[in-house]
Amino acid sequence: MAHTGGLGSARTGLLVLAAAAFAALTTEVAPVGLLLEISRSFGVEEARVGVLVSAYAVMVAILAIPVTMATRRLRRKPLLIATLAGFLLCNALTFLAPSFGVLALARILGGATHALFFSICIGYAARLAPPGATGRAMALVSVGVSAGLVLGVPGVSAIGAALGWRWSFVALTALLGVVVALAMFVLPDVPAPRAAGGGDRRRRPALLLVVLANGLTYLGHYVLYTYISSLLVRSGVGPAWVGAALFALGATSLLGIRLAAPHLDRRPRASAAAVPAGMAAGIAVIALAYPALVPVFLAAMLWSLAFGPAASVYQSAAVRTGSAEPETAGAWVVATSNAGIAGGAALGSMVFAQSGITMLAVIAAVLLGASALLTVVGRNSFRDVPAHAGS
């Protein structure tokens, strides 16, 4: 999906970063696909299991900016390996967890690790890239991010359905072991970033609007997506088929990335509006059609198609504002994405327990509609001409 021509010897290291990003994102979203199994295993309500997503994401939202700034002078390779080891430990503890409390602590550890990982990964990719190939390098690493977001849930769900939910985390632990080894022996070292600076302070309101729209999009998405397994089962999908259904939705999201890719730079404002508007439309149909399986699933495909390019849309828009270095702009996107994930999972937990699936869908559609409106209003934040963003 990403063109890698011109990357030369950097391609191998970038592929390692892409694999690391896939493992990191899958670690974050794994409980979504295993919600029902974890709930039954520990005898807790589904809504409480949904809070695992919130606890993880809130750590990222709180820590992303401060840890990015606090570690900017440290060597990149040892720091990256340390974060990958943190993910490995998080998944190993999750597999071994004797109680729901221990499981929650393991997820908090994962969230703290995640807060640092992506700021390092973004800067690492930029420094590995040959001159003039930074965009291609970031695109290649982004394949791992996108694949983790859209295929991580169905992947762990399929393993959980076949072998039990704990084995999903065994598989993630093994994957991270391989990635740690590759990072140690294959990934070249890069210098630490220079001192903070750069960016046009006058453009900071534009960045603020981008990250606000980003946070609203993830908030609306995760209000309902945290409970996607429950939505599918209660609409008539057999428990054994949930993994297959999630794979189909994940493939639809990847198709969305493919369809959107040519337009992200040429029509950034239209792309940024189409993502939340398309998601809102699909979720609104779910609210009207639930629990009828066929229209619910078709609407979920529209929702997934629109969500696919979300990460690319907001990351590129934040950098394009030119208000901060790319790493700093990226850290703000990571922070607000996870604030949205945490808030969506928490809000969804309360609404699901009190009012059920239909109200979750209504609230999600309203939030996504608000994000689309912000994009329409914020003409200066989603510009057609890239701005200089520092280095």
Side-chain angles (χ1 to χ4, degrees):
M1 288 181 57
H3 174 60
T4 59
L7 294 174
S9 60
R11 186 181 299 117
T12 300
L14 293 166
L15 286 170
V16 173
L17 293 178
F22 172 79
L25 263 296
T26 303
T27 296
E28 177 172 19
V29 301
V32 174
L34 302 168
L35 188 145
L36 297 174
E37 291 85 352
I38 295 173
S39 172
R40 297 187 189 111
S41 176
F42 289 109
V44 299
E45 296 178 352
E46 296 166 49
R48 284 189 65 195
V49 180
V51 174
L52 292 177
V53 178
S54 180
Y56 187 108
V58 76
M59 295 298 295
V60 182
I62 292 171
L63 295 176
I65 300 298
V67 298
T68 296
M69 303 308 295
T71 60
R72 21 181 323 108
R73 297 300 185 94
L74 300 179
R75 289 179 56 201
R76 300 291 92 182
K77 184 171 179 176
L79 197 57
L80 180 74
I81 292 171
T83 64
L84 294 173
F87 285 126
L88 189 154
L89 181 59
C90 164
N91 286 301
L93 287 176
T94 301
F95 161 65
L96 296 170
S99 67
F100 187 74
V102 173
L103 178 61
L105 288 174
R107 297 294 298 170
I108 290 172
L109 170 63
T113 301
H114 192 113
L116 180 58
F117 170 77
F118 273 100
S119 65
I120 300 171
C121 190
I122 291 168
Y124 216 115
R127 288 170 178 78
L128 277 180
T134 300
R136 288 193 292 273
M138 297 302 295
L140 180 54
V141 175
S142 292
V143 171
V145 175
S146 299
L149 281 170
V150 302
L151 296 180
V153 170
V156 298
S157 178
I159 295 171
L163 301 174
W165 70 267
R166 290 181 187 271
W167 287 98
S168 298
F169 293 97
V170 171
L172 276 172
T173 303
L175 172 61
L176 280 155
V178 172
V179 174
V180 168
L182 289 172
M184 290 177 66
F185 298 110
V186 176
L187 190 67
D189 203 355
V190 296
R194 296 190 298 268
D200 185 350
R201 291 176 179 270
R202 295 170 298 178
R203 297 284 303 157
R204 290 188 178 176
L207 176 62
L208 177 61
L209 192 142
V210 170
V211 297
L212 180 58
N214 177 67
L216 275 174
T217 295
Y218 278 83
L219 178 66
H221 179 67
Y222 274 90
V223 162
L224 184 58
Y225 190 70
T226 303
Y227 300 96
I228 186 68
S229 297
S230 298
L231 168 65
L232 293 172
V233 169
R234 294 176 186 214
S235 297
V237 176
W241 289 94
V242 169
L246 291 173
F247 265 120
L249 295 177
T252 304
S253 287
L254 288 177
L255 175 62
I257 299 169
R258 179 70 175 176
L259 294 175
H263 306 286
L264 295 181
D265 288 321
R266 294 201 298 262
R267 302 178 183 87
R269 187 162 164 262
S271 300
V275 164
M279 294 168 67
I283 291 174
V285 173
I286 290 173
L288 294 171
Y290 176 79
L293 177 57
V294 172
V296 164
F297 193 74
L298 291 176
M301 292 183 75
L302 172 59
W303 168 23
S304 299
L305 186 78
F307 177 67
S312 299
V313 163
Y314 294 112
Q315 182 75 58
S316 60
V319 172
R320 192 179 287 115
T321 65
S323 62
E325 293 179 325
E327 288 176 336
T328 304
W332 278 106
V333 172
V334 170
T336 53
S337 296
N338 282 275
I341 293 170
L347 177 59
S349 174
M350 293 186 291
V351 174
F352 183 52
Q354 297 295 322
S355 305
I357 294 288
T358 299
M359 186 55 66
L360 283 179
V362 169
I363 292 172
V366 169
L367 290 168
L368 288 161
S371 179
L373 183 61
L374 268 182
T375 304
V376 172
V377 171
R379 286 178 170 272
N380 198 38
S381 295
F382 298 91
R383 304 195 299 180
D384 292 338
V385 180
H388 176 65
S391 58

